[in-house]
Amino acid sequence: MLNALDLATRKMWRALGRPVDLAGDHSWLRAPMSDGSTVADGWLAAEAAAHGGEVHENAPGGGLLHDMNALNGPEFDATRLRPEIRDFYERTSAWRMEVWTGWSPAFWLGGELISRLFGKRVQQLALPMRPLDVARGMDSRIALIRDRDGQQVAAAWLRTLRSTGEYVYSGCYGRRLLPGAAGPSVHVAFPLESGNVQVFLRPQHEPDGGLLLRSPRGRFGDNGAYVVVRDRGRTFAARAPIHETFRLYVDDEGVLRTDHELRMWNATAVRLHYRLEPLS
């Protein structure tokens, strides 16, 4: 029954999408997929092998991005960011987080169904539905994916509920230059069975040294969210009506915080807030 539901979902996204060539014109959409229905961290070894390299678990000081300067372009300069924000992205494993979540009533039931039918079962994208779901905290670990030359090509950010050990997110983080874009984007891929969800976030620095990451509305090939599925030897991709905003800033007490808003079309579905603190 549930396998049929997964298959039906892939068929739906195939119908909504367009054929893509991940080895050619659409290589910007190449990202890890899961071979099985349970995702968790099972995709890591295959992704490292695709780069001819290895996975480095719990690398000391491992970060989502090796160097924030890799995002520099005509519209973004990493040197204008607060040092705390740069340190968080470049040494993510040296930070811990507290999370608060608040769903819009109009989207709560849909979020609950997705969490029960997909998220918790496949151990991927299981967004917390209630504030108490994260009352005991969320554990976070970074696994670096390095190529045959030992260079970091991506990082896995694996977040689990401390109370249950269940996966909330299993994401592959890096940088990606979109077709025709002036500068690089932050690229996040969430592997799924025979597919993935990808988000391309445009970086902006704010006057106070904060960081704004946005996945706005746009055309195919622009920053935003995409669903990619593999079906009968072919690959299809479609833009998804998901738009996210992350605002990282340091508050008046010197605490690094993040406001995260996820919208469906133009309506806010869920807001999350993160308090980020260095481990030492």
PDB file of all heavy atoms in Angstrom, residues 22 26-34 43 47 172 176 187-191 195-198 200 228 230:
ATOM      1  N   LEU A  22      20.752  14.758 -16.788  1.00  0.00           N
ATOM      2  CA  LEU A  22      21.625  15.123 -15.675  1.00  0.00           C
ATOM      3  C   LEU A  22      23.112  15.045 -16.039  1.00  0.00           C
ATOM      4  O   LEU A  22      23.946  15.600 -15.328  1.00  0.00           O
ATOM      5  CB  LEU A  22      21.345  14.227 -14.467  1.00  0.00           C
ATOM      6  CG  LEU A  22      19.924  14.280 -13.906  1.00  0.00           C
ATOM      7  CD1 LEU A  22      19.814  13.410 -12.659  1.00  0.00           C
ATOM      8  CD2 LEU A  22      19.512  15.712 -13.592  1.00  0.00           C
ATOM      9  N   HIS A  26      21.367  19.619 -18.059  1.00  0.00           N
ATOM     10  CA  HIS A  26      20.753  19.831 -16.749  1.00  0.00           C
ATOM     11  C   HIS A  26      21.621  19.264 -15.624  1.00  0.00           C
ATOM     12  O   HIS A  26      21.101  18.837 -14.590  1.00  0.00           O
ATOM     13  CB  HIS A  26      19.361  19.180 -16.711  1.00  0.00           C
ATOM     14  CG  HIS A  26      18.460  19.653 -17.810  1.00  0.00           C
ATOM     15  ND1 HIS A  26      18.224  18.898 -18.949  1.00  0.00           N
ATOM     16  CD2 HIS A  26      17.762  20.806 -17.964  1.00  0.00           C
ATOM     17  CE1 HIS A  26      17.402  19.553 -19.745  1.00  0.00           C
ATOM     18  NE2 HIS A  26      17.112  20.714 -19.180  1.00  0.00           N
ATOM     19  N   SER A  27      22.931  19.309 -15.828  1.00  0.00           N
ATOM     20  CA  SER A  27      23.838  18.765 -14.806  1.00  0.00           C
ATOM     21  C   SER A  27      23.731  19.526 -13.490  1.00  0.00           C
ATOM     22  O   SER A  27      24.114  19.008 -12.433  1.00  0.00           O
ATOM     23  CB  SER A  27      25.279  18.785 -15.314  1.00  0.00           C
ATOM     24  OG  SER A  27      25.677  20.107 -15.641  1.00  0.00           O
ATOM     25  N   TRP A  28      23.216  20.751 -13.527  1.00  0.00           N
ATOM     26  CA  TRP A  28      23.035  21.532 -12.299  1.00  0.00           C
ATOM     27  C   TRP A  28      22.005  20.883 -11.376  1.00  0.00           C
ATOM     28  O   TRP A  28      21.936  21.224 -10.193  1.00  0.00           O
ATOM     29  CB  TRP A  28      22.633  22.966 -12.628  1.00  0.00           C
ATOM     30  CG  TRP A  28      21.462  23.114 -13.554  1.00  0.00           C
ATOM     31  CD1 TRP A  28      21.476  23.081 -14.919  1.00  0.00           C
ATOM     32  CD2 TRP A  28      20.091  23.320 -13.164  1.00  0.00           C
ATOM     33  NE1 TRP A  28      20.193  23.236 -15.417  1.00  0.00           N
ATOM     34  CE2 TRP A  28      19.334  23.403 -14.364  1.00  0.00           C
ATOM     35  CE3 TRP A  28      19.446  23.442 -11.936  1.00  0.00           C
ATOM     36  CZ2 TRP A  28      17.949  23.589 -14.368  1.00  0.00           C
ATOM     37  CZ3 TRP A  28      18.070  23.642 -11.936  1.00  0.00           C
ATOM     38  CH2 TRP A  28      17.338  23.711 -13.133  1.00  0.00           C
ATOM     39  N   LEU A  29      21.225  19.931 -11.897  1.00  0.00           N
ATOM     40  CA  LEU A  29      20.237  19.220 -11.082  1.00  0.00           C
ATOM     41  C   LEU A  29      20.750  17.852 -10.615  1.00  0.00           C
ATOM     42  O   LEU A  29      19.996  17.111  -9.985  1.00  0.00           O
ATOM     43  CB  LEU A  29      18.941  19.012 -11.874  1.00  0.00           C
ATOM     44  CG  LEU A  29      17.981  20.209 -11.945  1.00  0.00           C
ATOM     45  CD1 LEU A  29      16.877  19.947 -12.960  1.00  0.00           C
ATOM     46  CD2 LEU A  29      17.387  20.517 -10.575  1.00  0.00           C
ATOM     47  N   ARG A  30      22.001  17.536 -10.910  1.00  0.00           N
ATOM     48  CA  ARG A  30      22.515  16.251 -10.436  1.00  0.00           C
ATOM     49  C   ARG A  30      22.696  16.297  -8.929  1.00  0.00           C
ATOM     50  O   ARG A  30      23.340  17.194  -8.387  1.00  0.00           O
ATOM     51  CB  ARG A  30      23.859  15.925 -11.099  1.00  0.00           C
ATOM     52  CG  ARG A  30      24.184  14.415 -11.029  1.00  0.00           C
ATOM     53  CD  ARG A  30      25.664  14.142 -10.932  1.00  0.00           C
ATOM     54  NE  ARG A  30      26.205  14.440  -9.619  1.00  0.00           N
ATOM     55  CZ  ARG A  30      26.081  13.645  -8.554  1.00  0.00           C
ATOM     56  NH1 ARG A  30      25.395  12.515  -8.614  1.00  0.00           N
ATOM     57  NH2 ARG A  30      26.604  13.996  -7.393  1.00  0.00           N
ATOM     58  N   ALA A  31      22.108  15.345  -8.231  1.00  0.00           N
ATOM     59  CA  ALA A  31      22.159  15.298  -6.763  1.00  0.00           C
ATOM     60  C   ALA A  31      21.877  13.870  -6.326  1.00  0.00           C
ATOM     61  O   ALA A  31      21.301  13.079  -7.091  1.00  0.00           O
ATOM     62  CB  ALA A  31      21.148  16.276  -6.160  1.00  0.00           C
ATOM     63  N   PRO A  32      22.269  13.514  -5.106  1.00  0.00           N
ATOM     64  CA  PRO A  32      22.082  12.132  -4.653  1.00  0.00           C
ATOM     65  C   PRO A  32      20.619  11.727  -4.569  1.00  0.00           C
ATOM     66  O   PRO A  32      19.738  12.533  -4.262  1.00  0.00           O
ATOM     67  CB  PRO A  32      22.741  12.120  -3.267  1.00  0.00           C
ATOM     68  CG  PRO A  32      22.799  13.552  -2.847  1.00  0.00           C
ATOM     69  CD  PRO A  32      22.952  14.347  -4.100  1.00  0.00           C
ATOM     70  N   MET A  33      20.378  10.452  -4.863  1.00  0.00           N
ATOM     71  CA  MET A  33      19.082   9.815  -4.696  1.00  0.00           C
ATOM     72  C   MET A  33      19.262   8.612  -3.787  1.00  0.00           C
ATOM     73  O   MET A  33      20.382   8.155  -3.549  1.00  0.00           O
ATOM     74  CB  MET A  33      18.513   9.364  -6.044  1.00  0.00           C
ATOM     75  CG  MET A  33      18.322  10.478  -7.056  1.00  0.00           C
ATOM     76  SD  MET A  33      17.600   9.852  -8.616  1.00  0.00           S
ATOM     77  CE  MET A  33      17.597  11.357  -9.600  1.00  0.00           C
ATOM     78  N   SER A  34      18.172   8.099  -3.277  1.00  0.00           N
ATOM     79  CA  SER A  34      18.218   6.919  -2.417  1.00  0.00           C
ATOM     80  C   SER A  34      17.802   5.688  -3.221  1.00  0.00           C
ATOM     81  O   SER A  34      16.854   5.746  -4.011  1.00  0.00           O
ATOM     82  CB  SER A  34      17.278   7.098  -1.215  1.00  0.00           C
ATOM     83  OG  SER A  34      17.224   5.907  -0.439  1.00  0.00           O
ATOM     84  N   TRP A  43      22.437   7.093   1.707  1.00  0.00           N
ATOM     85  CA  TRP A  43      22.883   7.582   0.395  1.00  0.00           C
ATOM     86  C   TRP A  43      24.328   8.060   0.377  1.00  0.00           C
ATOM     87  O   TRP A  43      24.899   8.310  -0.690  1.00  0.00           O
ATOM     88  CB  TRP A  43      21.983   8.736  -0.052  1.00  0.00           C
ATOM     89  CG  TRP A  43      21.923   9.862   0.955  1.00  0.00           C
ATOM     90  CD1 TRP A  43      21.058   9.971   2.018  1.00  0.00           C
ATOM     91  CD2 TRP A  43      22.770  11.018   1.002  1.00  0.00           C
ATOM     92  NE1 TRP A  43      21.305  11.130   2.720  1.00  0.00           N
ATOM     93  CE2 TRP A  43      22.343  11.793   2.118  1.00  0.00           C
ATOM     94  CE3 TRP A  43      23.805  11.490   0.206  1.00  0.00           C
ATOM     95  CZ2 TRP A  43      22.941  13.005   2.461  1.00  0.00           C
ATOM     96  CZ3 TRP A  43      24.418  12.698   0.546  1.00  0.00           C
ATOM     97  CH2 TRP A  43      23.973  13.433   1.664  1.00  0.00           C
ATOM     98  N   GLU A  47      27.131   8.481  -2.905  1.00  0.00           N
ATOM     99  CA  GLU A  47      27.470   9.822  -3.371  1.00  0.00           C
ATOM    100  C   GLU A  47      28.986  10.032  -3.345  1.00  0.00           C
ATOM    101  O   GLU A  47      29.549  10.630  -4.275  1.00  0.00           O
ATOM    102  CB  GLU A  47      26.778  10.866  -2.502  1.00  0.00           C
ATOM    103  CG  GLU A  47      27.023  12.297  -2.907  1.00  0.00           C
ATOM    104  CD  GLU A  47      26.525  12.665  -4.291  1.00  0.00           C
ATOM    105  OE1 GLU A  47      25.784  11.855  -4.899  1.00  0.00           O
ATOM    106  OE2 GLU A  47      26.885  13.754  -4.777  1.00  0.00           O
ATOM    107  N   CYS A 172      22.066  17.127   1.620  1.00  0.00           N
ATOM    108  CA  CYS A 172      23.375  17.243   1.002  1.00  0.00           C
ATOM    109  C   CYS A 172      23.582  18.705   0.627  1.00  0.00           C
ATOM    110  O   CYS A 172      22.826  19.262  -0.186  1.00  0.00           O
ATOM    111  CB  CYS A 172      23.444  16.357  -0.240  1.00  0.00           C
ATOM    112  SG  CYS A 172      25.057  16.338  -1.057  1.00  0.00           S
ATOM    113  N   ARG A 176      26.288  25.713  -6.017  1.00  0.00           N
ATOM    114  CA  ARG A 176      25.963  25.359  -7.396  1.00  0.00           C
ATOM    115  C   ARG A 176      25.739  26.645  -8.190  1.00  0.00           C
ATOM    116  O   ARG A 176      25.109  27.581  -7.678  1.00  0.00           O
ATOM    117  CB  ARG A 176      24.711  24.487  -7.401  1.00  0.00           C
ATOM    118  CG  ARG A 176      24.399  23.730  -8.692  1.00  0.00           C
ATOM    119  CD  ARG A 176      25.372  22.635  -9.014  1.00  0.00           C
ATOM    120  NE  ARG A 176      25.584  21.609  -8.037  1.00  0.00           N
ATOM    121  CZ  ARG A 176      24.890  20.454  -7.989  1.00  0.00           C
ATOM    122  NH1 ARG A 176      23.892  20.234  -8.823  1.00  0.00           N
ATOM    123  NH2 ARG A 176      25.204  19.537  -7.087  1.00  0.00           N
ATOM    124  N   HIS A 187      23.153  25.200  -2.458  1.00  0.00           N
ATOM    125  CA  HIS A 187      22.375  24.093  -3.003  1.00  0.00           C
ATOM    126  C   HIS A 187      22.166  23.045  -1.923  1.00  0.00           C
ATOM    127  O   HIS A 187      23.120  22.603  -1.290  1.00  0.00           O
ATOM    128  CB  HIS A 187      23.123  23.464  -4.182  1.00  0.00           C
ATOM    129  CG  HIS A 187      22.447  22.274  -4.776  1.00  0.00           C
ATOM    130  ND1 HIS A 187      23.078  21.059  -4.924  1.00  0.00           N
ATOM    131  CD2 HIS A 187      21.170  22.096  -5.232  1.00  0.00           C
ATOM    132  CE1 HIS A 187      22.245  20.198  -5.476  1.00  0.00           C
ATOM    133  NE2 HIS A 187      21.085  20.798  -5.668  1.00  0.00           N
ATOM    134  N   VAL A 188      20.907  22.685  -1.704  1.00  0.00           N
ATOM    135  CA  VAL A 188      20.566  21.663  -0.717  1.00  0.00           C
ATOM    136  C   VAL A 188      19.711  20.606  -1.406  1.00  0.00           C
ATOM    137  O   VAL A 188      18.717  20.941  -2.060  1.00  0.00           O
ATOM    138  CB  VAL A 188      19.777  22.239   0.477  1.00  0.00           C
ATOM    139  CG1 VAL A 188      19.617  21.182   1.559  1.00  0.00           C
ATOM    140  CG2 VAL A 188      20.455  23.485   1.024  1.00  0.00           C
ATOM    141  N   ALA A 189      20.109  19.334  -1.284  1.00  0.00           N
ATOM    142  CA  ALA A 189      19.352  18.234  -1.871  1.00  0.00           C
ATOM    143  C   ALA A 189      18.949  17.261  -0.778  1.00  0.00           C
ATOM    144  O   ALA A 189      19.760  16.908   0.081  1.00  0.00           O
ATOM    145  CB  ALA A 189      20.179  17.516  -2.936  1.00  0.00           C
ATOM    146  N   PHE A 190      17.701  16.844  -0.822  1.00  0.00           N
ATOM    147  CA  PHE A 190      17.175  15.860   0.120  1.00  0.00           C
ATOM    148  C   PHE A 190      16.867  14.583  -0.658  1.00  0.00           C
ATOM    149  O   PHE A 190      15.876  14.523  -1.391  1.00  0.00           O
ATOM    150  CB  PHE A 190      15.914  16.396   0.800  1.00  0.00           C
ATOM    151  CG  PHE A 190      16.129  17.670   1.571  1.00  0.00           C
ATOM    152  CD1 PHE A 190      15.819  18.897   1.021  1.00  0.00           C
ATOM    153  CD2 PHE A 190      16.669  17.642   2.852  1.00  0.00           C
ATOM    154  CE1 PHE A 190      16.021  20.068   1.717  1.00  0.00           C
ATOM    155  CE2 PHE A 190      16.887  18.808   3.561  1.00  0.00           C
ATOM    156  CZ  PHE A 190      16.556  20.024   2.996  1.00  0.00           C
ATOM    157  N   PRO A 191      17.737  13.567  -0.545  1.00  0.00           N
ATOM    158  CA  PRO A 191      17.523  12.342  -1.307  1.00  0.00           C
ATOM    159  C   PRO A 191      16.217  11.643  -0.925  1.00  0.00           C
ATOM    160  O   PRO A 191      15.808  11.638   0.239  1.00  0.00           O
ATOM    161  CB  PRO A 191      18.730  11.475  -0.922  1.00  0.00           C
ATOM    162  CG  PRO A 191      19.758  12.439  -0.439  1.00  0.00           C
ATOM    163  CD  PRO A 191      18.988  13.532   0.234  1.00  0.00           C
ATOM    164  N   GLY A 195      14.777   9.577  -6.515  1.00  0.00           N
ATOM    165  CA  GLY A 195      14.544  10.995  -6.740  1.00  0.00           C
ATOM    166  C   GLY A 195      15.087  11.846  -5.611  1.00  0.00           C
ATOM    167  O   GLY A 195      15.835  11.374  -4.748  1.00  0.00           O
ATOM    168  N   ASN A 196      14.715  13.089  -5.611  1.00  0.00           N
ATOM    169  CA  ASN A 196      15.122  13.999  -4.552  1.00  0.00           C
ATOM    170  C   ASN A 196      14.313  15.289  -4.636  1.00  0.00           C
ATOM    171  O   ASN A 196      13.649  15.567  -5.635  1.00  0.00           O
ATOM    172  CB  ASN A 196      16.627  14.301  -4.606  1.00  0.00           C
ATOM    173  CG  ASN A 196      17.098  14.759  -5.972  1.00  0.00           C
ATOM    174  OD1 ASN A 196      16.562  15.709  -6.540  1.00  0.00           O
ATOM    175  ND2 ASN A 196      18.099  14.074  -6.511  1.00  0.00           N
ATOM    176  N   VAL A 197      14.389  16.044  -3.554  1.00  0.00           N
ATOM    177  CA  VAL A 197      13.903  17.423  -3.526  1.00  0.00           C
ATOM    178  C   VAL A 197      15.128  18.306  -3.410  1.00  0.00           C
ATOM    179  O   VAL A 197      16.014  18.045  -2.590  1.00  0.00           O
ATOM    180  CB  VAL A 197      12.951  17.661  -2.337  1.00  0.00           C
ATOM    181  CG1 VAL A 197      12.560  19.140  -2.250  1.00  0.00           C
ATOM    182  CG2 VAL A 197      11.703  16.796  -2.450  1.00  0.00           C
ATOM    183  N   GLN A 198      15.209  19.341  -4.242  1.00  0.00           N
ATOM    184  CA  GLN A 198      16.357  20.237  -4.227  1.00  0.00           C
ATOM    185  C   GLN A 198      15.899  21.675  -4.030  1.00  0.00           C
ATOM    186  O   GLN A 198      14.852  22.075  -4.527  1.00  0.00           O
ATOM    187  CB  GLN A 198      17.140  20.140  -5.544  1.00  0.00           C
ATOM    188  CG  GLN A 198      17.667  18.746  -5.840  1.00  0.00           C
ATOM    189  CD  GLN A 198      18.496  18.713  -7.109  1.00  0.00           C
ATOM    190  OE1 GLN A 198      19.299  19.603  -7.385  1.00  0.00           O
ATOM    191  NE2 GLN A 198      18.325  17.664  -7.889  1.00  0.00           N
ATOM    192  N   PHE A 200      17.543  25.640  -4.267  1.00  0.00           N
ATOM    193  CA  PHE A 200      18.620  26.562  -4.619  1.00  0.00           C
ATOM    194  C   PHE A 200      18.307  27.899  -3.962  1.00  0.00           C
ATOM    195  O   PHE A 200      17.263  28.504  -4.225  1.00  0.00           O
ATOM    196  CB  PHE A 200      18.720  26.720  -6.132  1.00  0.00           C
ATOM    197  CG  PHE A 200      19.099  25.455  -6.849  1.00  0.00           C
ATOM    198  CD1 PHE A 200      18.124  24.552  -7.248  1.00  0.00           C
ATOM    199  CD2 PHE A 200      20.427  25.157  -7.124  1.00  0.00           C
ATOM    200  CE1 PHE A 200      18.453  23.378  -7.907  1.00  0.00           C
ATOM    201  CE2 PHE A 200      20.776  23.988  -7.780  1.00  0.00           C
ATOM    202  CZ  PHE A 200      19.789  23.090  -8.178  1.00  0.00           C
ATOM    203  N   VAL A 228      12.924  16.086  -8.438  1.00  0.00           N
ATOM    204  CA  VAL A 228      13.512  15.279  -9.510  1.00  0.00           C
ATOM    205  C   VAL A 228      13.150  13.821  -9.248  1.00  0.00           C
ATOM    206  O   VAL A 228      13.289  13.333  -8.117  1.00  0.00           O
ATOM    207  CB  VAL A 228      15.042  15.449  -9.552  1.00  0.00           C
ATOM    208  CG1 VAL A 228      15.665  14.561 -10.626  1.00  0.00           C
ATOM    209  CG2 VAL A 228      15.409  16.918  -9.795  1.00  0.00           C
ATOM    210  N   ARG A 230      13.246   9.667 -10.980  1.00  0.00           N
ATOM    211  CA  ARG A 230      13.756   8.736 -11.988  1.00  0.00           C
ATOM    212  C   ARG A 230      12.703   7.661 -12.192  1.00  0.00           C
ATOM    213  O   ARG A 230      12.240   7.037 -11.223  1.00  0.00           O
ATOM    214  CB  ARG A 230      15.071   8.135 -11.508  1.00  0.00           C
ATOM    215  CG  ARG A 230      15.806   7.275 -12.528  1.00  0.00           C
ATOM    216  CD  ARG A 230      17.178   6.919 -12.007  1.00  0.00           C
ATOM    217  NE  ARG A 230      17.086   6.280 -10.702  1.00  0.00           N
ATOM    218  CZ  ARG A 230      18.039   6.315  -9.780  1.00  0.00           C
ATOM    219  NH1 ARG A 230      19.137   6.985 -10.005  1.00  0.00           N
ATOM    220  NH2 ARG A 230      17.885   5.703  -8.631  1.00  0.00           N
TER     221      ARG A 230
END
